[in-house]
Amino acid sequence: MKVVRVKKGVAAIVFLSLALLALGALSFFAGSSGDADGHVEPQRVRDVQHRNKFRPESELKEQLERRPEVAPVKPRTEPEVAHEEIHEQERKLEEKEENEEVDALRAKLHPVEATKAAADPENEKRKEQVVKMMLHAWHGYRNYTWGANEIKPISGQPNNQGIFGGADMGATIVDAADTLWLMGLKEEYEQARDWIRDNFDMKKKATGTLSVFETTIRFLGGLLSLNALTGEAFYVTKAKDVGDSLLKAFNTPTGIPKSQLSVQTGVGQNFGWASSMSILSEIGTLHLEFAELSRITGDPVYLQKVQKVRDVLDKAQKLDGLYPNYISPTDGRFSGSHISLGALGDSFYEYLIKAWLYSNFRDDQARRMYWAVSEKIQEKMVSHSRSNLTYLVELRNGRAEHQMGHLACFAVGMFALEGHYEKEPARKARVLNLAEELGRTCHESYIRSESHIGPEMFYFIGQEDATAKQTGANGYILRPEVIEGWFYLWRLTGKQMYRDWVWDAVESMEKWCKREKGYVGLQNVYKPEQGADDVQQSFFLAETLKYAYLTFTEDTVMALDAWVFNTEAHPLPVNKDYPMKEQAAPQA
């Protein structure tokens, strides 16, 4: 017989039935004490508070299937009838508690869905489709090239880029793991988690020259995000190993890091094609990750390194308030006159405003620098096409180049965030309008192609108007920036059309980019049948599918006031204990 736990909620019933209970209490409790064959220990109250922990599958099955036991039917006396009425009340209360715990466990296995309000069936269908795409991309990689950096979905062979520093760094695993976790894909997440725990080793596997920037945003960012989401301590150790390895790149007269680093030798270097200059987007896109690493380790050295870089950029002489794309790591002076919110410049601007958000609005330097350069961008780099599309030009020697890269569509989200937090009404309206107009232009770059996917670069010259039909920059490599921008617009404006735009892009990728073993880029978005590039970029799983998925979740899932996404879409929690600049300043 099951031991019954007495509840406070039935005290009144017990009191009212006291006379009847007195007649049968001794026999009842004697029968309930149990023996070797019939006694059942009281079930322990299960811990349902730590949402980010996954339970073993066996425990899940046991808990979901557990139901109160039913005692054998036997002749009942009046006292026993009264007892059973009381016990029925207790059983119902116990069952209610058990069901609540089961619901909480389900929420734990799908934690980000726990806060989801009832959604319309069409939106749920869209979200499920993105999850299916994630599973297809993951299983292709898992089944054919496990442990390699990326997969070539057509040939089924590993793909390795020099940026990773070694062929077996598992870039796709580290990049994709937090997306798997967010989607509630327990089995797939655990595959990633176990590989990272048992196989990811920065010092042993980074045998070549790596990109400091890419290693920071993909590997360090991914590990930091996993730590924040799951609380599993080994992620901190792995992240620290990455951060410590990268510190050698900062050994320059100014503290501005070199672009490339050999972990084995500790020697850093810049690209020859960049005339040995450091690149603005690369040196300016380290702040979030290194600040978070200092937070979780308690070691200020990481934040000190990137703060020193920020200070050099803050003091350097600019061109009409704008930041050129190249800077000397020797003397901290800008070189050349090329200014772009696309490649070479992009994420530097993104990290200024996001560093301010990450710091819980305490990083005044980041806010000041961002608001100042944003004003100059709006003054000097915003233009309009013959069909009245708003776009961002590139500047070279003070002259506008009327082209906009797919990468530059990240600015849609950046300006949307700025407008959201701007307090002055007129400027707020102006910046939000700019974000939406740029979002529309990026949408036009998609729907003006046969594939409904936008090109790597689109132009506003001659017959080109948000198109690249006559140029060579008309491919697509599974980039996320356009979907990223629409995600922010959806979250910050609530306009359904941004969800619809994301869905159209998702359907287009499913139609044109899917192969048996994953997803590939297109050689020509205007003639998608011409061929593919046979590469499933790790950022497709880290960014493109994550932003698409989050577009179809409730706003409470990875809320923008609690999380900040790094430029690889790895979410970091807002740091409410962020140190003031004086505390973070490097020692003399």
Side-chain angles (χ1 to χ4, degrees):
M1 175 182 281
K2 182 176 182 178
V3 172
V4 178
R5 293 176 291 178
V6 178
K7 308 291 181 179
K8 294 181 179 179
V10 298
I13 300 174
V14 173
F15 179 80
L16 293 174
S17 306
L18 187 57
L20 292 173
L21 284 172
L23 295 174
L26 289 175
S27 62
F28 169 73
F29 284 107
S32 297
S33 61
D35 54 27
D37 296 322
H39 178 70
V40 179
E41 289 293 333
Q43 180 66 41
R44 291 177 299 174
V45 177
R46 289 170 292 276
D47 177 10
V48 295
Q49 299 303 314
H50 301 289
R51 296 162 56 93
N52 299 338
K53 304 292 186 182
F54 287 113
R55 291 287 181 88
E57 196 69 39
S58 59
E59 184 177 350
L60 170 66
K61 184 177 180 181
E62 177 187 357
Q63 184 159 346
L64 294 181
E65 293 180 351
R66 185 181 296 116
R67 290 292 181 268
E69 298 177 13
V70 179
V73 177
K74 60 181 180 180
R76 298 176 296 168
T77 65
E78 284 190 7
E80 286 176 329
V81 171
H83 285 312
E84 290 179 8
E85 288 177 353
I86 296 169
H87 298 157
E88 178 64 15
Q89 294 293 329
E90 292 179 336
R91 188 194 66 77
K92 289 181 178 180
L93 286 172
E94 185 175 348
E95 184 176 284
K96 180 175 181 292
E97 286 185 352
E98 182 126 328
N99 289 336
E100 288 173 350
E101 290 177 358
V102 169
D103 290 341
L105 182 59
R106 287 196 178 104
K108 187 177 296 186
L109 293 175
H110 299 277
V112 298
E113 291 301 299
T115 57
K116 179 181 69 61
D120 66 273
E122 179 62 25
N123 189 66
E124 289 299 296
K125 172 186 170 184
R126 293 176 174 187
K127 184 170 59 178
E128 289 171 6
Q129 173 59 31
V130 179
V131 173
K132 289 178 183 178
M133 293 172 70
M134 183 69 184
L135 285 171
H136 182 71
W138 177 258
H139 289 157
Y141 169 81
R142 175 69 179 84
N143 294 338
Y144 294 94
T145 58
W146 185 244
N149 285 317
E150 295 168 329
I151 185 175
K152 296 180 177 180
I154 297 175
S155 65
Q157 297 299 309
N159 184 65
N160 184 46
Q161 303 182 55
I163 58 176
F164 297 128
D168 301 313
M169 293 287 287
T172 293
I173 300 174
V174 181
D175 237 0
D178 61 0
T179 307
L180 295 169
W181 190 92
L182 287 170
M183 290 181 175
L185 299 173
K186 177 180 183 292
E187 179 181 349
E188 289 74 19
Y189 164 73
E190 289 181 342
Q191 293 168 356
R193 178 200 62 193
D194 293 350
W195 187 93
I196 295 170
R197 183 192 61 212
D198 300 336
N199 295 280
F200 182 78
D201 191 318
M202 189 71 183
K203 296 180 178 64
K204 290 182 179 179
K205 295 198 173 184
T207 57
T209 299
L210 53 76
S211 164
V212 174
F213 162 72
E214 297 287 358
T215 303
T216 298
I217 66 172
R218 301 195 200 206
F219 292 97
L220 181 55
L223 295 168
L224 292 169
S225 180
L226 289 166
N227 171 67
L229 291 169
T230 73
E232 297 204 58
F234 76 88
Y235 288 125
V236 178
T237 302
K238 299 288 185 180
K240 188 176 186 304
D241 287 345
V242 176
D244 289 343
S245 298
L246 295 177
L247 287 179
K248 300 181 182 74
F250 293 82
N251 292 335
T252 65
T254 61
I256 292 176
K258 297 292 184 69
S259 295
Q260 297 177 294
L261 177 70
S262 168
V263 173
Q264 303 296 325
T265 66
V267 176
Q269 62 184 25
N270 279 333
F271 298 109
W273 55 263
S275 301
S276 298
M277 293 288 111
S278 293
I279 298 168
L280 179 66
S281 62
E282 295 192 344
I283 67 167
T285 313
L286 311 173
H287 204 98
L288 289 176
E289 296 83 358
F290 277 72
E292 176 68 1
L293 187 56
S294 278
R295 184 188 73 83
I296 65 173
T297 63
D299 188 342
V301 66
Y302 311 107
L303 179 55
Q304 289 171 358
K305 292 293 185 182
V306 291
Q307 184 59 55
K308 187 173 182 180
V309 173
R310 168 95 68 71
D311 290 341
V312 172
L313 291 170
D314 192 10
K315 296 174 184 176
Q317 183 65 43
K318 302 161 186 71
L319 288 179
D320 295 327
L322 296 170
Y323 294 75
N325 289 338
Y326 301 102
I327 189 169
S328 169
T330 302
D331 60 20
R333 295 182 180 179
F334 286 111
S335 176
S337 62
H338 185 202
I339 298 169
S340 169
L341 267 74
L344 306 178
D346 51 7
S347 47
F348 159 70
Y349 305 96
E350 173 189 358
Y351 268 39
L352 286 178
I353 189 169
K354 285 186 174 179
W356 177 63
L357 298 176
Y358 168 81
S359 73
N360 200 28
F361 314 113
R362 295 179 67 189
D363 190 342
D364 291 333
Q365 181 191 41
R367 187 193 189 285
R368 171 178 54 78
M369 290 173 67
Y370 175 79
W371 253 254
V373 74
S374 174
E375 197 64 32
K376 291 296 183 180
I377 290 169
Q378 294 173 59
E379 177 186 335
K380 299 177 179 295
M381 300 182 71
V382 174
S383 190
H384 304 279
S385 76
R386 55 187 173 83
S387 63
N388 200 33
L389 294 178
T390 301
Y391 62 97
L392 297 168
V393 303
E394 296 188 13
L395 297 176
R396 199 184 301 268
N397 298 319
R399 299 181 61 184
E401 296 180 345
H402 296 275
Q403 60 189 39
M404 184 171 170
H406 193 290
L407 285 168
C409 287
F410 90 93
V412 173
M414 181 183 75
F415 286 124
L417 285 171
E418 177 188 348
H420 180 70
Y421 288 103
E422 173 61 55
K423 295 181 179 179
E424 199 280 310
R427 194 175 192 278
K428 182 184 188 74
R430 169 164 55 91
V431 175
L432 283 174
N433 180 69
L434 174 61
E436 293 202 72
E437 286 301 307
L438 290 173
R440 183 169 72 94
T441 299
C442 294
H443 180 241
E444 291 295 321
S445 79
Y446 268 52
I447 63 175
R448 294 184 184 190
S449 76
E450 180 182 339
S451 64
H452 270 216
I453 296 173
E456 180 73 6
M457 183 77 71
F458 44 97
Y459 301 85
F460 302 89
I461 51 176
Q463 297 302 308
E464 304 282 18
D465 195 29
T467 56
K469 296 180 180 180
Q470 308 300 321
T471 72
N474 51 25
Y476 172 68
I477 62 170
L478 304 175
R479 288 201 188 277
E481 288 77 18
V482 171
I483 290 177
E484 173 188 354
W486 298 336
F487 157 74
Y488 278 105
L489 287 177
W490 157 251
R491 282 285 180 97
L492 297 174
T493 72
K495 295 181 180 179
Q496 178 62 32
M497 71 176 177
Y498 297 123
R499 269 184 163 173
D500 294 339
W501 290 358
V502 170
W503 178 240
D504 184 59
V506 165
E507 288 190 304
S508 300
M509 287 186 290
E510 181 71 1
K511 178 179 180 179
W512 295 110
C513 300
K514 186 177 184 179
R515 299 295 186 271
E516 180 184 354
K517 301 178 182 69
Y519 292 84
V520 297
L522 301 177
Q523 298 285 4
N524 187 342
V525 297
Y526 302 99
K527 299 178 180 179
E529 69 284 349
Q530 284 190 348
D533 64 4
D534 198 18
V535 177
Q536 181 174 276
Q537 305 279 348
S538 75
F539 56 66
F540 177 67
L541 294 84
E543 301 185 73
T544 309
L545 293 179
K546 183 184 286 134
Y547 282 127
Y549 176 79
L550 290 174
T551 302
F552 303 123
T553 64
E554 296 301 309
D555 291 358
T556 50
V557 178
M558 306 311 297
L560 295 181
D561 60 355
W563 297 88
V564 176
F565 292 92
N566 88 334
T567 199
E568 191 78 3
H570 295 306
L572 302 175
V574 168
N575 183 0
K576 295 186 178 180
D577 298 318
Y578 188 83
M580 300 302 286
K581 185 183 171 217
E582 295 78 39
Q583 296 172 281
Q587 298 178 356

